[in-house]
């Protein structure tokens, strides 16, 4: 195995706790079944990911209202109350990030599926987002994980050799796409396990 010189972090679910349940469980008066039906049939993950690839939030909201007018108030809540879906930082991972950067041994960048309409909210709230050498935000590139283009953009922009890099993401689909391009991948579950997984690449924190 080649010596690792670059670590690429996903953000949501790895460094930042984001969960629409924080808004919708209350909106549905604690009825988890109703909330889950809404996410499976109306404001789906596929729909949200389309905005991560650059589709305007206002247009996406109107598209759904046109299709499901009876759910208008809930649909408007998704982006209208998006800021309250942000939890706190995942502190254990932030500590890992800080240690990697302070070591001076690694190029540390981020690759995130995120709308550029909401990303500035996170940048204001989480100071550690300024620590990265750079962040590739999917909507700025008009593509997203797991499509090949977003990985190629990241590799080229920061002059990364795939085999010398590790990509950390909580979505296994995105890790598998990175692996197909020769990028080493770690499927993130929690900070404690991540510390152990990094040891497999001779990164001791």
């Amino acid at each position: 195995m080649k010596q690792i010189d670059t670590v690429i972090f996903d953000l949501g679910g790895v460094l930042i706790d984001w969960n629409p349940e924080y808004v919708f469980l209350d909106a549905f008066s604690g009825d988890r079944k109703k909330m889950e039906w809404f996410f499976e049939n109306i404001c789906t993950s596929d729909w949200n990911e389309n905005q991560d690839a650059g589709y305007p939030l206002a247009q996406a909201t109107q598209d759904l209202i046109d299709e499901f007018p009876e759910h208008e108030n809930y649909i408007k809540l998704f982006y209208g109350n998006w800021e309250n879906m942000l939890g706190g930082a995942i502190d254990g991972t932030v500590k890992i990030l800080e240690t990697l950067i302070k070591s001076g041994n690694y190029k540390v960048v981020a690759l995130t599926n995120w709308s550029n309409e909401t990303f500035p909210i996170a940048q204001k709230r989480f100071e550690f987002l300024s620590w990265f050498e750079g962040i590739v935000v999917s909507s700025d590139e008009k593509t997203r994980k797991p499509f090949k283009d977003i990985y190629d953009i990241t590799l080229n922009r920061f002059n990364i050799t795939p085999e010398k890099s590790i990509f950390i993401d909580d979505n296994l689909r995105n890790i598998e796409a990175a692996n197909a391009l020769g990028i080493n991948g770690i499927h993130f579950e929690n900070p404690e396990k991540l510390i152990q997984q990094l040891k497999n690449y001779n990164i001791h924190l």
Side-chain angles (χ1 to χ4, degrees):
M1 182 183 294
K2 292 184 179 180
Q3 182 68 36
I4 297 297
D5 63 16
T6 303
V7 182
I8 308 165
F9 279 87
D10 174 38
L11 297 179
V14 175
L15 284 155
I16 297 170
D17 177 22
W18 178 85
N19 194 332
E21 287 190 13
Y22 295 149
V23 169
F24 280 92
L25 197 56
D26 185 53
F28 284 106
S29 304
D31 191 328
R32 184 167 289 278
K33 282 190 175 179
K34 281 187 178 180
M35 179 190 71
E36 289 174 351
W37 180 91
F38 182 78
F39 289 149
E40 287 166 8
N41 295 279
I42 312 295
C43 288
T44 65
S45 58
D46 285 347
W47 171 78
N48 182 51
E49 284 196 326
N50 195 42
Q51 284 66 267
D52 289 343
Y55 195 70
L57 303 189
Q59 186 59 55
T61 300
Q62 191 58 52
D63 291 348
L64 278 193
I65 291 170
D66 290 346
E67 190 173 357
F68 305 105
E70 69 276 20
H71 296 288
E72 178 175 357
N73 289 338
Y74 290 121
I75 293 166
K76 284 182 174 178
L77 199 59
F78 196 94
Y79 292 120
N81 206 4
W82 182 91
E83 190 167 354
N84 289 325
M85 297 178 189
L86 277 179
I90 300 174
D91 292 330
T93 320
V94 175
K95 189 69 178 171
I96 293 168
L97 170 67
E98 184 178 20
T99 302
L100 288 169
I101 291 172
K102 283 186 173 178
S103 76
N105 295 325
Y106 308 98
K107 183 183 300 179
V108 183
V109 301
L111 168 58
T112 184
N113 279 1
W114 209 305
S115 166
N116 55 13
E117 294 182 60
T118 56
F119 192 58
I121 297 170
Q123 287 178 302
K124 286 179 182 176
R125 186 176 297 188
F126 302 108
E127 192 239 341
F128 63 80
L129 292 177
S130 67
W131 299 353
F132 290 100
E133 183 164 324
I135 301 175
V136 176
V137 179
S138 59
S139 57
D140 287 337
E141 313 302 333
K142 305 303 183 203
T143 185
R144 60 172 175 82
K145 297 174 289 184
F147 299 118
K148 179 177 181 291
D149 287 355
I150 197 85
Y151 299 96
D152 287 339
I153 287 166
T154 305
L155 295 173
N156 293 332
R157 184 165 300 165
F158 301 109
N159 194 27
I160 297 168
T161 302
E163 296 78 13
K164 292 184 178 182
S165 68
I166 299 175
F167 176 48
I168 302 163
D169 197 298
D170 64 318
N171 190 320
L172 187 58
R173 173 201 70 179
N174 297 338
I175 292 294
E176 290 170 346
N179 290 160
L181 296 171
I183 302 166
N184 299 290
I186 290 177
H187 182 213
F188 179 84
E189 295 178 50
N190 59 65
E192 295 74 26
K193 186 169 183 181
L194 176 58
I195 290 170
Q196 298 305 312
Q197 290 167 310
L198 287 169
K199 289 178 181 176
N200 296 331
Y201 296 92
N202 203 29
I203 298 174
H204 299 274
L205 301 173

